[in-house]
Amino acid sequence: MLTPDDFIRALDWMGTVVFALSGVLIARRLQMDGFGLLVLASVTAIGGGTIRDLVLGIRPVFWVTQSHYLVLIVVTCALAIPLARLLSRAKVAWLLLHADALGLATFTAIGANKALSVGAPAIVAVGMGVLTGVGGGVIRDVLAREVPMVLCREVYATACIAGGIVLTAVHAWTGQSLPAMLGGMLTTWLIRLAALRWHWHLPTFGGLDPDESR
């Protein structure tokens, strides 16, 4: 019978595969070689979780003692390369955005739940959820010489914050990890998909003339 821990582990593996796939798709778009593709997939899949564990003082970081995460990344790369070649640029762009949204939601929930499991307060758990969700993508985009989505007008980190708040609230109410994670994950995912569908953006200060602010 599938236990809550088994389900959480399955979500973590799914997030690893999905984020690795998003790294592969960007590497394919930039015409990187095999090593560059593997690096981009790896930092996307485990970068956020690595930073999270370091901040929380968890040693060693998760993938050092659980090498199946690295195996998942390599297998994902091997399977995704021939499939990506069959897709048009438009389909790659669509798949990248939606794979990234699913990975974002999954890792936000994983990160917030892990912080709660080591006794972190709710506000720290929300921050760790955001860090886990966006950290790998930020590293990926920097290596790809692109402006990270979290620093643009995209409703991205905002979706993580909303999901983290829902997760910590449900966890405080029920005392159970699984419904809290599902609630947080669903919240982040739906907000991100809605932002993609209806082109939601955050306000910026880009149009403000410095002289006008005086």
Side-chain angles (χ1 to χ4, degrees):
M1 183 177 178
L2 189 66
T3 66
D5 286 343
D6 292 334
F7 191 78
I8 292 171
R9 190 178 302 110
L11 286 178
D12 202 4
W13 292 353
M14 180 188 72
T16 301
V17 170
V18 171
F19 259 7
L21 177 61
S22 74
V24 169
L25 293 174
I26 286 186
R28 184 257 190 188
R29 190 183 68 197
L30 298 176
Q31 298 183 335
M32 291 184 173
D33 61 17
F35 180 74
L37 182 146
L38 184 59
V39 169
L40 218 59
S42 299
V43 298
T44 309
I46 62 177
T50 299
I51 300 172
R52 175 204 63 216
D53 283 2
L54 292 174
V55 172
L56 291 175
I58 299 173
R59 303 289 192 281
V61 296
F62 67 100
W63 53 266
V64 174
T65 56
Q66 303 174 65
S67 58
H68 54 268
Y69 286 97
L70 302 179
V71 175
L72 277 174
I73 293 170
V74 173
V75 171
T76 300
C77 291
L79 295 178
I81 291 172
L83 293 177
R85 290 174 178 170
L86 301 176
L87 301 176
S88 65
R89 286 184 177 272
K91 289 183 178 179
V92 167
W94 184 92
L95 184 59
L96 174 60
L97 288 173
H98 288 76
D100 188 83
L102 182 57
L104 182 72
T106 304
F107 275 4
T108 297
I110 292 291
N113 181 70
K114 191 164 189 178
L116 290 175
S117 70
V118 298
I123 190 170
V124 174
V126 173
M128 290 301 101
V130 175
L131 183 60
T132 308
V134 308
V138 169
I139 300 172
R140 174 199 66 202
D141 292 344
V142 169
L143 292 178
R145 293 183 294 181
E146 297 183 350
V147 178
M149 281 188 287
V150 70
L151 300 180
C152 299
R153 299 172 60 202
E154 295 283 345
V155 176
Y156 198 75
T158 310
C160 298
I161 294 171
I165 291 173
V166 169
L167 186 150
T168 54
V170 174
H171 189 274
W173 181 39
T174 65
Q176 298 181 26
S177 296
L178 187 55
M181 290 185 66
L182 291 176
M185 181 178 172
L186 188 61
T187 300
T188 303
W189 186 55
L190 289 178
I191 291 176
R192 181 60 185 146
L193 288 184
L196 292 173
R197 172 64 178 82
W198 288 292
H199 307 290
W200 291 350
H201 295 290
L202 297 175
T204 67
F205 301 99
L208 182 64
D209 188 335
D211 293 332
E212 295 178 358
S213 63
R214 297 177 183 175

